[in-house]
Amino acid sequence: MNQPGLLDLLSFGPEGWARALLAGAWMTVLIAINGYLIGGVIGTLGAWAKLSGGQTLRVVADAYTTVLRGIPDLLVIYLLYFGGSAAVTSVGRLFGAEGFIGFPGFLAGSLAIGITSGAQHTEVFRGAFRAVHPGEIEAAIACGMPRWLRFRRIIAPLTLRHALPGLGNVWQVVLKESALVSITGVAELLRQAQVGAGSTGLPFDFYLIAAVIYLGISSISGGVLRQAERRFSRGVRRG
């Protein structure tokens, strides 16, 4: 029996894997978006702690970024997935449940990526805030702007403008890290490619297709981020 060709694998027919691969690609995007947003929230708090918090908050934030930037991302996923499963199983036994209760792989992966990317977000936001010229903030204070209005109209837009290039790089890293979530059994793109490779005996074909899909997602999202960067940079003189 002849093995299916590349076009057959990409079809929606009986031998095609198009639906499974597209579903996996969508799951990859969802995991990456969730992890990125979680990391953004953590990074905002971390940057605030480093810039305007007390000594205790700065120590905690420094420890967080140091530890998370030094631990492999895959290890963080393992810790959250198996540690979360152990915790959920223990809680379940308190309510009479029997057996092992697995922690949802999607949730574990999203949290792990969010926690690891949060360290990168922290440094991006911290550097972006420091890039805001003090004179612009002083001018807002001189005009009598209240603190919240000053933050909303001056500090936040300028910080975001300076942060966008770094945030784009963090997104690309997060997108690639989403492939690690396949170890929890979540049917994201790499997992679907692994299943397809095992079922058909065509590993090179499936991994090549997965690479092209990853590249497509990365290129499209990168283009969106570049458009946002250009929009926020309108009217800014470049040296």
Side-chain angles (χ1 to χ4, degrees):
M1 182 177 180
N2 294 328
Q3 289 184 321
L6 185 60
L7 293 179
D8 296 322
L9 296 177
L10 293 174
S11 71
F12 290 89
E15 295 183 340
W17 287 80
R19 288 188 179 87
L21 291 172
L22 288 177
W26 176 242
M27 182 62 68
T28 290
V29 172
L30 287 180
I31 293 172
I33 290 175
N34 284 342
Y36 189 77
L37 293 177
I38 294 171
V41 173
I42 296 175
T44 301
L45 295 175
W48 169 79
K50 286 193 172 189
L51 293 167
S52 60
Q55 183 177 1
T56 302
L57 289 176
R58 285 197 298 271
V59 170
V60 172
D62 286 337
Y64 162 71
T65 54
T66 299
V67 171
L68 267 298
R69 293 169 74 183
I71 295 179
D73 300 334
L74 182 60
L75 181 56
V76 177
I77 295 176
Y78 275 130
L79 290 173
L80 278 176
Y81 180 64
F82 292 109
S85 297
V88 172
T89 300
S90 298
V91 172
R93 286 174 181 170
L94 294 177
F95 293 92
E98 298 181 357
F100 177 79
I101 303 176
F103 194 69
F106 179 88
L107 180 57
S110 297
L111 288 174
I113 291 175
I115 292 172
T116 55
S117 68
Q120 301 173 43
H121 276 96
T122 296
E123 297 304 324
V124 169
F125 286 136
R126 184 176 68 88
F129 178 81
R130 290 188 179 277
V132 177
H133 197 283
E136 296 177 276
I137 301 176
E138 293 169 0
I141 295 174
C143 291
M145 277 191 182
R147 178 176 296 181
W148 171 247
L149 185 61
R150 189 164 68 241
F151 174 81
R152 185 168 62 87
R153 291 190 175 180
I154 305 296
I155 298 175
L158 291 176
T159 300
L160 181 59
R161 175 187 295 172
H162 292 298
L164 273 174
L167 293 177
N169 292 333
V170 174
W171 165 255
Q172 300 295 346
V173 172
V174 166
L175 184 61
K176 290 188 290 185
E177 286 178 348
S178 66
L180 300 176
V181 182
S182 63
I183 60 104
T184 66
V186 175
E188 48 75 64
L189 179 56
L190 183 59
R191 179 63 177 173
Q192 295 286 22
Q194 291 171 337
V195 172
S199 299
T200 63
L202 298 171
F204 178 80
D205 300 71
F206 273 94
Y207 292 134
L208 177 62
I209 294 170
V212 171
I213 295 175
Y214 274 116
L215 183 60
I217 297 172
S218 176
S219 300
I220 293 172
S221 56
V224 172
L225 289 170
R226 285 191 295 272
Q227 285 287 351
E229 184 179 347
R230 283 194 289 267
R231 181 174 181 179
F232 274 85
S233 299
R234 287 177 181 173
V236 178
R237 294 183 60 184
R238 299 182 180 274

